[in-house]
Amino acid sequence: MAGKKRGEIQLQAIINSQSQWDDMLQNKGLTVVDVYQAWCGPCKAMQPLFRKLKNELNEDDILHFVVAEADNIVTLQSFRDKCEPLFLFSLNGKIIAKVQGANAPLVNRKVISLINEERKILDGEMTRPQYNEIPLSDTEDGGGSNYENIGELHNIAVIKPDAVNSRKAPQIKKKITKAGFVIEAEEKRMFTEEEVMNFFGQMAEEPDFEEFLSLMTSGLSYILVISMGTENEDSLDESTDKTMMDASESSDSQNESESQLTPNVIKKKWDSLQEYLERQHISQFCEIEDTPTNVIKFLDTFFPNFRAMQNIKFQRTLALLLPDLLQGKTNDVLSIINNEGFKILMQRQLVLSEEEAKTLCKEYENEDYYEKLIPYMTSGPSLALVLWRENGLEHWKYLIGPKSLDEAYEYDSESLCIQFATEELPINQLYGSKSTNTAEQEIEYFFPVTTTLVVIKPHVSGEQREEILKITKESGFDIIMMKEMTLTKEDTDKIYFTITGKDFYKDVVEVFAEGPSLIMVLAKWNAVSEWRQIMGPVDPEEAQLLSPNSLRAKYGIDILRNAVHGSSNEFDAATAIDKLFEMDSSEIP
């Protein structure tokens, strides 16, 4: 242990006083500062990356790594008592950037870019850029200046029920994001009359307000929190060209403070947003709220944790346990996943096809063992998982370590790659997505989203309906369309078209005519079977015996009034959805 401690001190110099901080600012070149609190210590998760950069770049004269204890350094006083990792970048004595969180890919890109830039400057190939020094203030001050202008930094867009139920919402969202805006949060909600009056009361004197009120309470609305966008950080490369460096600086603005936007820039952007919606023929489908006080009102009501979550980045990633690992070490890996704070959103066993294996193993194409690797990958079942937590993608990549055993032994001997190594092949037996874009593509591929039609029946009380909706969301379903209606026989036929000839069908029709039902389209991987499991057996008495926590066991009365309906299979679901939620054939330009 003593030897390891000495190695860590050599890698990162220790700064625990103001005078040592002032001396550090005399360093030539780039100094990466890990700001930490005495009670939680430096960020060990980033040390393998720093060691790798130090060895590969081999620039000890212009690349330095230090750890700085915020508790004892006056300059860092605003970062005291904060547990999230923070990294400052000092370039020739000037703090030019900061990164919050253990975002290894971002730190890696920035170090490589800045060092390559320094090399060019020293070789006389370019002049030194003029970087602005950033203020050393905490960006997570929940009640401070970061949120004083939150109403100016965000707009609310409400996609109305008629657009949602005619399946235009995905097109509208795509148009908004394509224009360069970011949808930071989304809530799907069926407004009550009281909520419509509360949030849209300024329209009450307009002649068509009663019609508007009826529309807004007729079905599901999508409430979007929209901010000005930046280029996706996954699209950045590590070019040392100054133009590319500027693009990288802008792209990383959500993690770094040097790219702060002024209210004037935001205001100009919001003006163009309204105009853009009108030019794209979207405005009739949306209500836009841009008054700061009203924006905050929406946030406080529908997104109560929005402020607290501003600087917390939760991510999904695909994880794979390869065949050998699945043969006895699964529980060990799952235990580590749980202990590291991940939530497993979805999981399934599958045998990879040859094409899938080649796609996942593309980085091994030039290795001697590649010809043996593909047969191994397809030799038996692998376990696919969707993992979720704060900085989930980066943290999983850090835990599993490098792609090969050779790299792991050299740079990261404590990684899961070493812990779960096998004798068959010198590869990492665990896989993780490379980027957020790749993660979403891989998750969509291995866990394709399907839909099912769900009906909450008339006898269910308002309180019970809310409980069912809560259970639905907590079970991972996305409610993508919803409307309330009293079903006529023609409507009921669209749902139960497979049993309209049965003797008991007239009783079914009578039950639905008793009052309004809530019709929903739910989306999730394996949606039909997952929902049927949550519903339970058709007879509530049987459900209470066999599945006491099911919806029918809790809220059902008898076979006809058994609380909820769900489609029997994907074909029935698609057919009923098409009949009840007719798609508007006109495309948004």
Side-chain angles (χ1 to χ4, degrees):
M1 291 297 293
K4 183 176 178 181
K5 185 67 175 178
R6 284 194 296 272
E8 288 179 359
I9 292 174
Q10 282 185 338
L11 174 66
Q12 296 170 283
I14 298 175
I15 298 177
N16 52 24
S17 70
Q18 184 63 42
S19 61
Q20 289 177 338
W21 174 267
D22 295 337
D23 290 342
M24 180 274 296
L25 294 177
Q26 303 305 311
N27 287 348
K28 292 182 179 180
L30 174 66
T31 303
V32 183
V33 185
D34 177 358
V35 178
Y36 72 96
Q37 322 301 317
W39 57 274
C40 61
C43 181
K44 292 185 178 180
M46 297 290 281
Q47 289 173 355
L49 171 65
F50 295 153
R51 188 172 292 109
K52 179 174 180 288
L53 288 168
K54 180 180 176 67
N55 293 335
E56 290 185 355
L57 295 175
N58 193 27
E59 292 284 5
D60 289 346
D61 290 338
I62 58 172
L63 177 60
H64 317 275
F65 297 97
V66 305
V67 292
E69 185 180 336
D71 307 75
N72 294 326
I73 300 170
V74 175
T75 303
L76 303 178
Q77 61 181 348
S78 65
F79 302 115
R80 293 171 185 172
D81 301 321
K82 307 293 182 183
C83 62
E84 184 182 26
L86 173 71
F87 301 94
L88 302 177
F89 295 79
S90 172
L91 192 62
N92 298 305
K94 180 187 289 187
I95 306 297
I96 64 164
K98 66 180 176 182
V99 173
Q100 290 180 278
N103 191 336
L106 179 56
V107 171
N108 182 66
R109 280 200 305 272
K110 180 155 287 296
V111 169
I112 291 174
S113 295
L114 290 173
I115 289 300
N116 283 334
E117 190 177 79
E118 283 295 297
R119 287 168 171 168
K120 284 190 173 185
I121 293 169
L122 293 174
D123 291 341
E125 297 178 11
M126 66 177 289
T127 58
R128 183 174 300 282
Q130 294 300 313
Y131 289 107
N132 294 324
E133 187 163 14
I134 65 169
L136 293 183
S137 58
D138 177 29
T139 60
E140 286 195 298
D141 181 10
S145 60
N146 234 29
Y147 296 109
E148 288 178 358
N149 296 320
I150 194 168
E152 295 182 31
L153 299 174
H154 298 85
N155 269 192
I156 300 295
V158 179
I159 304 178
K160 295 185 281 192
D162 55 346
V164 172
N165 289 340
S166 61
R167 311 190 201 186
K168 289 187 178 295
Q171 296 179 60
I172 294 170
K173 289 164 61 178
K174 185 176 181 180
K175 285 284 186 183
I176 291 172
T177 55
K178 190 175 181 180
F181 299 97
V182 172
I183 299 173
E184 292 197 10
E186 178 177 331
E187 174 72 12
K188 300 179 178 72
R189 188 177 186 89
M190 192 168 179
F191 283 100
T192 64
E193 288 191 9
E194 182 181 357
E195 287 172 337
V196 174
M197 293 299 298
N198 187 21
F199 290 100
F200 304 100
Q202 71 276 11
M203 301 166 56
E205 300 303 319
E206 297 182 10
D208 58 352
F209 182 71
E210 287 300 321
E211 182 180 342
F212 175 80
L213 178 64
S214 176
L215 169 64
M216 295 303 290
T217 56
S218 67
L220 199 67
S221 294
Y222 286 18
I223 308 171
L224 311 178
V225 182
I226 300 176
S227 70
M228 185 173 179
T230 56
E231 184 181 351
N232 191 319
E233 70 180 32
D234 290 328
S235 67
L236 297 175
D237 60 25
E238 294 169 5
S239 169
T240 59
D241 183 83
K242 181 63 175 67
T243 302
M244 292 302 294
M245 185 63 188
D246 289 341
S248 176
E249 297 288 337
S250 174
S251 171
D252 297 334
S253 63
Q254 292 181 357
N255 296 286
E256 306 170 43
S257 66
E258 64 265 34
S259 299
Q260 299 272 338
L261 295 166
T262 66
N264 288 337
V265 174
I266 292 294
K267 184 60 180 174
K268 183 177 179 181
K269 188 69 175 179
W270 290 137
D271 290 342
S272 67
L273 170 62
Q274 185 64 47
E275 294 169 2
Y276 175 79
L277 296 179
E278 294 173 0
R279 288 197 306 272
Q280 297 297 317
H281 308 288
I282 298 175
S283 57
Q284 70 269 33
F285 302 120
C286 305
E287 289 296 326
I288 304 299
E289 182 56 74
D290 58 6
T291 305
T293 54
N294 290 341
V295 169
I296 292 173
K297 185 177 175 182
F298 268 94
L299 292 175
D300 289 344
T301 303
F302 300 115
F303 306 91
N305 297 320
F306 183 77
R307 297 185 182 191
M309 299 294 288
Q310 279 285 277
N311 292 304
I312 300 177
K313 182 172 64 173
F314 283 90
Q315 297 172 318
R316 300 195 307 172
T317 187
L318 180 79
L320 279 177
L321 281 63
L322 302 187
D324 280 358
L325 197 56
L326 205 61
Q327 302 299 318
K329 296 293 183 69
T330 304
N331 289 337
D332 294 338
V333 177
L334 294 180
S335 178
I336 291 171
I337 288 172
N338 180 64
N339 291 338
E340 290 292 332
F342 285 100
K343 181 178 181 180
I344 300 175
L345 299 180
M346 295 178 278
Q347 62 178 305
R348 61 179 291 212
Q349 283 193 26
L350 72 161
V351 178
L352 296 171
S353 68
E354 183 175 340
E355 183 179 353
E356 291 167 342
K358 286 181 177 178
T359 300
L360 291 171
C361 297
K362 192 171 182 62
E363 60 187 335
Y364 298 101
E365 278 182 335
N366 297 323
E367 302 294 344
D368 295 338
Y369 50 80
Y370 181 73
E371 293 303 319
K372 295 181 180 179
L373 179 57
I374 302 305
Y376 163 68
M377 295 287 287
T378 59
S379 64
S382 296
L383 180 64
L385 305 163
V386 178
L387 306 181
W388 180 84
R389 62 155 269 176
E390 182 182 353
N391 290 321
L393 186 142
E394 287 88 0
H395 191 64
W396 179 246
K397 285 166 64 177
Y398 158 69
L399 287 175
I400 64 178
K403 67 176 185 178
S404 69
L405 289 176
D406 289 343
E407 290 181 63
Y409 279 120
E410 184 173 359
Y411 299 120
D412 197 357
S413 59
E414 296 182 359
S415 66
L416 300 185
C417 179
I418 298 295
Q419 185 174 339
F420 294 104
T422 65
E423 297 180 0
E424 283 293 318
L425 289 164
I427 65 165
N428 198 327
Q429 293 292 319
L430 293 147
Y431 172 84
S433 301
K434 302 298 186 293
S435 69
T436 52
N437 283 345
T438 302
E440 292 306 315
Q441 292 168 6
E442 291 173 342
I443 292 169
E444 183 177 352
Y445 179 83
F446 286 108
F447 297 89
V449 173
T450 58
T451 55
T452 189
L453 183 85
V454 168
V455 182
I456 301 180
K457 297 185 178 182
H459 74 272
V460 175
S461 69
E463 183 179 347
Q464 291 173 334
R465 181 186 283 189
E466 289 301 316
E467 291 174 3
I468 291 173
L469 291 174
K470 182 180 178 183
I471 292 170
T472 300
K473 293 176 181 178
E474 289 176 348
S475 299
F477 287 96
D478 186 14
I479 304 172
I480 59 173
M481 290 186 282
M482 175 166 54
K483 59 183 176 181
E484 185 179 58
M485 58 189 295
T486 299
L487 298 175
T488 64
K489 181 181 183 302
E490 290 72 21
D491 295 324
T492 308
D493 289 349
K494 295 175 183 178
I495 300 171
Y496 291 93
F497 58 89
T498 60
I499 63 167
T500 53
K502 300 291 185 181
D503 293 339
F504 61 83
Y505 183 65
K506 59 179 176 51
D507 298 325
V508 174
V509 173
E510 289 176 2
V511 165
F512 282 107
E514 292 175 354
S517 297
L518 191 64
I519 320 295
M520 301 186 291
V521 178
L522 305 185
K524 187 183 181 182
W525 173 66
N526 209 19
V528 170
S529 61
E530 289 275 330
W531 179 256
R532 294 188 69 79
Q533 184 176 350
I534 290 172
M535 284 197 306
V538 65
D539 186 342
E541 289 187 9
E542 183 181 352
Q544 289 168 6
L545 292 174
L546 300 179
S547 185
N549 291 321
S550 66
L551 297 179
R552 284 169 170 166
K554 291 180 178 179
Y555 308 111
I557 297 173
D558 54 42
I559 290 179
L560 290 175
R561 296 172 181 80
N562 56 1
V564 288
H565 163 80
S567 300
S568 298
N569 53 61
E570 290 187 15
F571 174 81
D572 287 359
T575 302
I577 291 168
D578 286 342
K579 291 179 178 179
L580 286 164
F581 296 88
E582 294 182 8
M583 182 182 295
D584 188 338
S585 58
S586 62
E587 289 288 324
I588 293 177

